[in-house]
Amino acid sequence: MTDVDQADRFARAREAQSVALIEDYVEMIGDLIAELGEARVADIAERMGVAQPTATKAVSRLKREGFATSRPYRGVFLTEEGAALAERVRARHRTVVALLRAVGVPEEVAELDAEGIEHHVSEQTLKAFERFLQGK
Amino acid sequence: MTDVDQADRFARAREAQSVALIEDYVEMIGDLIAELGEARVADIAERMGVAQPTATKAVSRLKREGFATSRPYRGVFLTEEGAALAERVRARHRTVVALLRAVGVPEEVAELDAEGIEHHVSEQTLKAFERFLQGK
DNA sequence: GATGATGTATAGCCTATGCTATATTTAAAT
DNA sequence: ATTTAAATATAGCATAGGCTATACATCATC
Ligand SMILES: [Mn+2]
Ligand SMILES: [Mn+2]
Ligand SMILES: [Mn+2]
Ligand SMILES: [Mn+2]
């Protein structure tokens, strides 16, 4: 393998990382809206396990990147794009957990590890996981 | 699932991320030493796909955390702890690639995704992967 | 051994993601 | 309607990880 190839891999992993937080926030805001009818910054912060100003800042980024909207002192909403991303991320999360379970990982551990793994599973790998799960 | 549980998961994923760069650097420095007899900052930078000062800064962190040693204008060396980490990381990387291949992921894609996934695979999941691979 | 090329370190900058402390707004209670 | 409590925003700080430009050291070459 050439140095450039490997450098590309690392660059890809770095990029995935930068997207990971967005994905987790968007998915989780979707959960809150589904469960409680709205997503308040305080709830977002509590579920993410971060301080409230950290959540506020994250929401700013989601807005800047077009995944969410909000007005001062009001709840947070997902744009169409945000809702679509949340759906994709949620489905992928489920598939990753199912794959881990299928190869013998205990449920608790599968859920734990999936939270990180999911962000590095490409479309191709996801498809392979789905085929594998069906063929069982 | 309680909010605290989920918050813990996210916290764990964040922690894994913070360790990920260290793991990649240490593994790669080990590769360089094995291949070239030494690891120079310039080579580290090239393989990581980052600028040279970025690699220098990373090496500083490795030293600070006890995984590497170096003297100004000389190569970088792994401590015992660093070499042990490199070995663990390399083995885990291989296992993750093997598991992906075993469930039908093409080799190229497996290598690409593994570079990110590996850092979120717990000991328990790794053991499950190994059992699954043996039982085939 | 002087010189030029190469490698490394340092300075200074940026963005992302955390935090605490505090101001401000909204909502609830009296 | 006030007052109080709760939620949110903002200010200011820290660390990690990027970058470019530049100073400095080492190594070859002549
Ligand atoms: Mn996640
Ligand atoms: Mn998830
Ligand atoms: Mn990696
Ligand atoms: Mn690796």
Side-chain angles (χ1 to χ4, degrees):
Chain A
M1 179 177 48
T2 72
D3 285 5
V4 174
D5 287 343
Q6 183 156 33
D8 285 348
R9 275 185 205 166
F10 287 132
R12 205 156 151 283
R14 282 194 297 268
E15 168 61 21
Q17 184 48 37
S18 119
V19 176
L21 253 203
I22 288 182
E23 292 184 342
D24 282 337
Y25 270 100
V26 164
E27 178 185 4
M28 202 256 292
I29 289 170
D31 292 344
L32 282 172
I33 292 173
E35 290 169 30
L36 310 177
E38 66 175 349
R40 308 296 304 228
V41 168
D43 297 328
I44 295 171
E46 184 180 359
R47 288 226 181 165
M48 284 299 295
V50 298
Q52 167 259 312
T54 300
T56 299
K57 208 182 279 189
V59 169
S60 297
R61 187 177 165 204
L62 295 184
K63 291 167 72 173
R64 174 159 46 85
E65 303 198 10
F67 296 113
T69 61
S70 82
R71 296 196 333 269
Y73 295 95
R74 296 288 127 142
V76 178
F77 306 90
L78 293 180
T79 61
E80 235 180 85
E81 198 186 347
L85 177 60
E87 197 43 55
R88 275 202 309 282
V89 169
R90 190 170 297 114
R92 194 188 52 194
H93 185 113
R94 276 196 303 264
T95 299
V96 170
V97 171
L99 188 282
L100 290 176
R101 301 277 296 110
V103 300
V105 179
E107 177 154 16
E108 280 297 304
V109 180
E111 279 292 347
L112 224 68
D113 288 9
E115 200 53 72
I117 291 174
E118 59 181 357
H119 308 285
H120 301 274
V121 170
S122 65
E123 266 309 309
Q124 285 184 74
T125 293
L126 193 64
K127 285 277 173 296
F129 284 5
E130 285 163 2
R131 276 193 300 271
F132 179 82
L133 289 167
Q134 289 210 327
K136 279 177 49 71
Chain B
M1 180 178 48
T2 72
D3 285 4
V4 174
D5 287 344
Q6 183 155 36
D8 285 349
R9 273 185 207 166
F10 287 132
R12 207 158 148 281
R14 282 195 295 268
E15 168 61 20
Q17 184 47 38
S18 117
V19 176
L21 253 204
I22 288 183
E23 292 184 344
D24 282 337
Y25 269 100
V26 163
E27 177 185 6
M28 202 257 292
I29 289 170
D31 292 344
L32 282 172
I33 292 173
E35 289 170 30
L36 309 177
E38 65 175 352
R40 307 298 303 231
V41 168
D43 297 328
I44 295 171
E46 183 180 1
R47 288 225 181 165
M48 283 301 295
V50 298
Q52 168 258 311
T54 300
T56 298
K57 208 183 281 190
V59 169
S60 298
R61 187 177 165 205
L62 295 184
K63 292 167 70 174
R64 173 159 45 84
E65 303 198 8
F67 297 114
T69 61
S70 81
R71 297 197 331 270
Y73 296 96
R74 295 290 129 143
V76 178
F77 306 90
L78 294 179
T79 62
E80 236 180 85
E81 198 185 348
L85 177 60
E87 197 43 55
R88 275 203 309 282
V89 170
R90 189 170 297 114
R92 194 188 51 195
H93 184 114
R94 276 196 302 265
T95 299
V96 170
V97 171
L99 188 283
L100 291 175
R101 301 278 294 113
V103 301
V105 178
E107 176 153 17
E108 279 298 303
V109 180
E111 279 292 346
L112 224 68
D113 287 9
E115 200 55 71
I117 291 174
E118 57 181 358
H119 307 287
H120 301 274
V121 170
S122 65
E123 266 309 309
Q124 285 184 75
T125 294
L126 194 63
K127 285 278 173 293
F129 284 5
E130 284 163 2
R131 276 193 301 272
F132 179 82
L133 289 168
Q134 287 209 327
K136 280 178 48 73

